[in-house]
Structures are given as structure tokens and as C-alpha cells.
Amino acid sequence: MVRHAEPGTVEWVESGGGPLVAVPETVLPFWTGADGEETASDYDRACEAGGPVGLLPVGDSAALVLGDEPAATAFLPEHGTLVRWLAGDSEAELLASVPAALDTAPWRPEAHWKVPGAVLLFDAARPGPHSTGAGHVRLPLAPGRYAVRAARVRPGPGTRLALVQLRPLP
């Protein structure tokens, strides 16, 4: 796996070239990754989701697919946001640009995602039961409904990132 991010302030997750997926822990056993025996594996379904975000049924819940392009991704709980590193010279520069980027982002229409609690973010090709080792990030979400919105921003010359914000709904 090629590292596009550097170790530092936050934990980054990367894929082997396909989408990342955030699957609720309660339905991890149902995510088959690329190992599915059906005509289309869960990984195939994730690849077909299209766009920056998509929702796929998994068990009695749904997984959030981060599509568009493979990118190192970190969760910033203080902003309720997944940050996808598309281009930039340093982690510090990229992370410092997030607050202003959140204020000026051209947000796409939002989707609503109901989660039963914490989710794991990992490479969509991995089966859920094998996702708890290295290469994942746990998002400590409270059970409930979330508005999910995405945007791509250029907060500075040479810096590009994608944002996926998860806002709790009443």
C-alpha cells in the first residue's frame, strides 16, 4: 500500500486503490469486502456507489462509502468531519486549513444516515470481521441519525482536500 500521508497528529486510513467504507460495528460480520460469493461483492457495490459519498445496506443498517478517488482519510471528531488528503505538502498544513475550509466549502446535497453507534472506517475490499486489525479508524458516533454532506476544497495553493461532515440530527 502506498502511503500518501505521513504519521503525526491524527490517524490516517488508506485503501489499496478503491473506496473506503464506514461500517457500524454491529453489522461488521455482514460486510464481505471483496470476498463475497454473490454476483457482486460488497466491494463491487461500494465501487459502483459513485460520487463522494454513498450509502449501502449492510445487515439491518447501512455503510457509508467514501468514493471518488482513493485518498488518505482521517476523522476529526472536534469537527465531526472526515478529511481526505488529496494534495498538500504536510499534514500540519492540511489540518490547519480545515476550520476555514469547513466555513467556505461548496457543500453538495446531504444524505441522511442512521447509525446504531460507533463505526469502523477501513478499505472496502476487506471483510468486516478482518477490519479490526491495523488499517482502520474507529468513529465513536452516538446512535442516531446524521446528515452527511461532502465538499472538495482548495484552501491554499497546492493544497486540496475533500470533506465529509457528519452532523447529528434531532
Side-chain angles (χ1 to χ4, degrees):
M1 177 182 332
V2 176
R3 269 202 78 72
H4 300 286
E6 59 197 53
T9 309
V10 297
E11 189 174 354
W12 296 90
V13 174
E14 298 184 53
S15 78
L20 294 174
V21 64
V23 178
E25 288 179 327
T26 59
V27 294
L28 276 176
F30 300 106
W31 183 264
T32 61
D35 295 343
E37 296 177 15
E38 302 171 13
T39 359
S41 68
D42 285 338
Y43 176 75
D44 293 331
R45 293 187 316 133
C47 289
E48 293 171 0
V53 294
L55 295 172
L56 291 178
V58 179
D60 62 355
S61 192
L64 177 67
V65 177
L66 303 182
D68 269 352
E69 62 183 270
T73 303
F75 181 62
L76 305 181
E78 66 274 20
H79 299 293
T81 301
L82 292 157
V83 176
R84 309 199 71 205
W85 187 336
L86 303 177
D89 292 332
S90 73
E91 178 182 67
E93 178 185 324
L94 183 111
L95 294 175
S97 72
V98 170
L102 287 168
D103 290 338
T104 60
W107 297 106
R108 294 181 181 221
E110 63 186 37
H112 291 174
W113 183 30
K114 185 177 179 185
V115 296
V119 301
L120 289 186
L121 177 70
F122 56 93
D123 186 333
R126 296 177 69 187
H130 302 284
S131 65
T132 58
H136 78 279
V137 169
R138 185 173 190 269
L139 284 61
L141 301 179
R145 292 182 32 194
Y146 289 81
V148 179
R149 62 184 186 168
R152 291 180 85 133
V153 294
R154 289 181 177 263
T159 303
R160 288 186 312 119
L161 54 114
L163 304 169
V164 178
Q165 190 172 52
L166 310 171
R167 294 178 299 115
L169 291 171

